[in-house]
Amino acid sequence: MKRQLRNRIFGLAAGTVAFGVISACGGGGGGLSVADGGIRGTGSSVGPVSGFGSVFVNGVKFSTDGIPNQTVESDDGIEFETDLSKGMILRIEGQWRDDGTGTADRLIYDDTLRGPVDQVDADPSGAGEFVTLTVMGQTVLVDRQTVVRGTTYATLLSGAAISDHVRVSAWRQPDGSYRAGYIETIAVNATDVELEGRVSAVDTSQNRFTIGTITVEYDELSVNFGSGLTESDLTTTTVLEVEGSLAGTVLTASSIDRDDARRFSRNAGDDIQLTATIDTSYSPSGTAARPGEFRIGELTVRVTDATELDDDLEVSDLNEGLLVQVEGQFLSDTVVEAEEIELRDGNAKVEGVITSAADNAFVIGGVEVRVLPTTALTVEDGSDISFETLPIGTTTVEVEGVEKQQGTEVFIEALKVEVDDELTSPADRNQYELEGKLAAISPSAITILGVTIDATSASYADNSQADIISRFGNGEVLVLEVEYSRDGNNFTAVEIELEENDDD
């Protein structure tokens, strides 16, 4: 689950990056390296929306002025650009340039799931790293990178039942579960549900099959088959998407289509940008240094010696479940040669009030946070906020991101910035939490995410100071979760705990 994924990516060292802070319009952020120049790609860009004022996807600000009425192609009630929300996984067809701008010719959106919630289960460790929802029998992982609307992440953590329906935009994971980029509570409408999942018990003679706990029934004369699908394909297709009416555990289908992996299909252009979880881990091929491949959906992604791996990624890190951004070129309808691969999973976080902000960067508890066009800025209730309106010194802000280093500067490149929807009490405005890779330690202090924090043995949970010092000295990469306070310019640890031991 999420904790295993976080432990895997926390092992990555922070590397020097080739790009600096980029001005973000409407709260979205960068991603791939950006430099002045001409057309970089023509084709499709698929990923979570991170900002508006145009539409930001995969770090590119796509102008939608050429699309009449900024129409979105969707049958899920998303008609116009203004209906989109940050976190929704969107396909844009068009062009993008080296300066980080692009032109959209089409906007295409499709829900992954839409319907009732069977069950809500919080992180069993008690650490609050994720919530698992069961939606019509399908497992949906909601983590701190997920944009939540209509409810709050804290409410989900409480395990309270959800009587409304939900709209989910997600990536299907190798184990068949879904990792949500976006989830929203919506009005109950049993005549308009959408289900995706692994197909079993197909019986075309009875016009039915099963997806998880749901029996799907259809009329072959009236059901709409999409993406070239036919009834005979039902017996050979592994995963399907169905829309229709739900009564108990029976879904009467109005349409049957291939699953959301069709987001990544080739169009007239040969280039693609995509953000998705890896389905099949990297495997090497040949005798050169790095040639090999991994799979995302129905695509095989080839890695060559020329592929740029950002964030100090190694090919050995490209394992199933990791969220990455890939830019490359189609060699065929199902094979993409990667030009650049970037980590889009968080490996660092900080929480507290902002003490200062300027030039698309701010400071929380001594930690510098940089906002790029890939950054989603939201309020806890899911509403939007811009960099310019972030609260200074009054309200708790939580950041999930990737640790970076440029020379001697260490900072978090934010993936998501979430602002509490209530003011923080004055007594708590000098209290902070962070999680990151230990950079230095002594009997009296630790350094994490570029911040040195006074820390005596009494600050460590389970009297673990000596153990941590020993393991760090032996070269282990250790991730610590630290609660600390500020007094003037000094920071003092309240509690320090190894992330692997965190159970509260």
Side-chain angles (χ1 to χ4, degrees):
M1 302 299 286
K2 177 64 175 173
R3 179 162 300 280
Q4 295 169 330
L5 179 62
R6 289 177 65 88
N7 286 341
R8 183 161 69 245
I9 59 179
F10 265 123
L12 306 175
T16 302
V17 291
F19 52 88
V21 178
I22 303 168
S23 177
C25 175
L32 298 169
S33 303
V34 173
D36 292 336
I39 296 296
R40 189 170 87 218
T42 299
S44 56
S45 184
V46 185
V49 174
S50 59
F52 296 100
S54 297
V55 178
F56 286 86
V57 170
N58 293 327
V60 176
K61 178 184 178 182
F62 285 95
S63 170
T64 58
D65 291 345
I67 300 176
N69 301 315
Q70 286 73 50
T71 301
V72 177
E73 298 175 33
S74 172
D75 60 1
D76 299 331
I78 307 297
E79 299 182 40
F80 305 105
E81 179 186 326
T82 52
D83 296 324
L84 295 169
S85 294
K86 294 175 183 176
M88 285 182 170
I89 302 168
L90 183 69
R91 176 183 170 106
I92 297 180
E93 295 183 1
Q95 294 181 332
W96 54 95
R97 293 175 281 276
D98 284 334
D99 63 358
T101 64
T103 302
D105 299 323
R106 300 174 68 191
L107 304 176
I108 305 168
Y109 175 77
D110 186 36
D111 287 337
T112 306
L113 300 164
R114 189 176 61 256
V117 177
D118 308 322
Q119 190 170 327
V120 180
D121 296 301
D123 179 356
S125 75
E129 297 292 348
F130 63 87
V131 180
T132 301
L133 274 61
T134 307
V135 180
M136 295 178 289
Q138 301 300 305
T139 300
V140 179
L141 182 70
V142 179
D143 60 31
R144 293 187 179 276
Q145 283 184 229
T146 306
V147 176
V148 180
R149 297 195 71 174
T151 183
T152 67
Y153 187 76
T155 300
L156 295 177
L157 277 176
S158 73
I162 298 177
S163 58
D164 294 328
H165 282 192
V166 293
R167 179 194 302 276
V168 179
S169 184
W171 296 277
R172 190 170 187 272
Q173 302 196 103
D175 64 359
S177 65
Y178 291 88
R179 178 176 175 178
Y182 176 84
I183 185 167
E184 175 190 10
T185 59
I186 59 176
V188 173
N189 185 352
T191 65
D192 183 26
V193 302
E194 182 164 346
L195 173 65
E196 180 183 301
R198 186 176 295 275
V199 178
S200 63
V202 178
D203 186 345
T204 55
S205 67
Q206 296 295 318
N207 296 347
R208 68 176 56 168
F209 55 88
T210 299
I211 296 179
T213 60
I214 303 296
T215 298
V216 178
E217 298 181 346
Y218 64 93
D219 181 341
E220 76 274 17
L221 298 179
S222 61
V223 71
N224 178 36
F225 287 101
S227 304
L229 200 69
T230 65
E231 185 179 25
S232 61
D233 294 323
L234 299 181
T235 58
T236 58
T237 304
T238 304
V239 183
L240 287 173
E241 172 191 287
V242 180
E243 296 187 67
S245 299
L246 184 68
T249 60
V250 176
L251 197 168
T252 302
S254 58
S255 68
I256 302 173
D257 205 342
R258 301 185 190 276
D259 71 300
D260 278 345
R262 68 185 190 276
R263 296 168 177 154
F264 309 123
S265 62
R266 187 180 190 178
N267 68 353
D270 285 334
D271 301 305
I272 186 169
Q273 298 176 319
L274 65 91
T275 295
T277 52
I278 295 174
D279 289 319
T280 305
S281 301
Y282 168 88
S283 60
S285 61
T287 58
R290 289 197 312 191
E293 60 189 38
F294 59 92
R295 289 185 65 82
I296 289 177
E298 301 299 320
L299 295 180
T300 296
V301 180
R302 289 187 180 170
V303 182
T304 72
D305 286 343
T307 303
E308 182 179 346
L309 299 178
D310 287 349
D311 309 312
D312 209 29
L313 279 168
E314 302 288 344
V315 289
S316 59
D317 300 315
L318 299 174
N319 294 315
E320 64 178 42
L322 190 68
L323 186 65
V324 294
Q325 180 174 319
V326 177
E327 181 164 0
Q329 188 173 52
F330 280 99
L331 301 182
S332 70
D333 287 346
T334 59
V335 178
V336 171
E337 185 173 276
E339 298 169 1
E340 191 164 9
I341 303 172
E342 180 181 2
L343 180 66
R344 289 292 297 272
D345 243 320
N347 62 9
K349 68 181 182 183
V350 66
E351 181 177 346
V353 300
I354 297 173
T355 54
S356 62
D359 298 327
N360 289 304
F362 58 84
V363 176
I364 294 176
V367 178
E368 180 183 353
V369 177
R370 298 189 181 181
V371 175
L372 299 180
T374 43
T375 307
L377 294 112
T378 70
V379 181
E380 185 180 15
D381 63 7
S383 58
D384 288 344
I385 194 168
S386 67
F387 178 86
E388 292 75 18
T389 56
L390 287 173
I392 308 297
T394 61
T395 308
T396 296
V397 174
E398 183 174 341
V399 176
E400 289 277 333
V402 178
E403 181 178 352
K404 298 279 189 173
Q405 184 169 348
Q406 289 181 340
T408 59
E409 294 183 22
V410 179
F411 54 93
I412 294 178
E413 189 174 279
L415 296 167
K416 181 185 175 188
V417 176
E418 183 174 276
V419 179
D420 278 5
D421 52 12
E422 295 182 0
L423 294 177
T424 303
S425 69
D428 291 334
R429 291 177 186 174
N430 287 317
Q431 306 299 314
Y432 306 95
E433 292 185 23
L434 63 74
E435 190 173 302
K437 181 163 55 66
L438 180 63
I441 188 169
S442 73
S444 60
I446 57 174
T447 300
I448 299 177
L449 299 176
V451 181
T452 298
I453 302 171
D454 295 337
T456 65
S457 59
S459 307
Y460 290 79
D462 304 319
N463 299 312
S464 59
Q465 184 187 46
D467 178 55
I468 291 173
I469 290 175
S470 174
R471 291 170 62 178
F472 181 78
N474 289 330
E476 283 193 54
V477 176
L478 301 177
V479 175
L480 300 185
E481 185 173 287
V482 183
E483 297 179 20
Y484 61 110
S485 62
R486 178 172 63 91
D487 183 7
N489 294 322
N490 296 322
F491 298 102
T492 303
V494 176
E495 183 176 65
I496 302 170
E497 189 164 17
L498 270 170
E499 198 270 350
E500 65 189 42
N501 295 333
D502 181 18
D503 60 0
D504 56 30

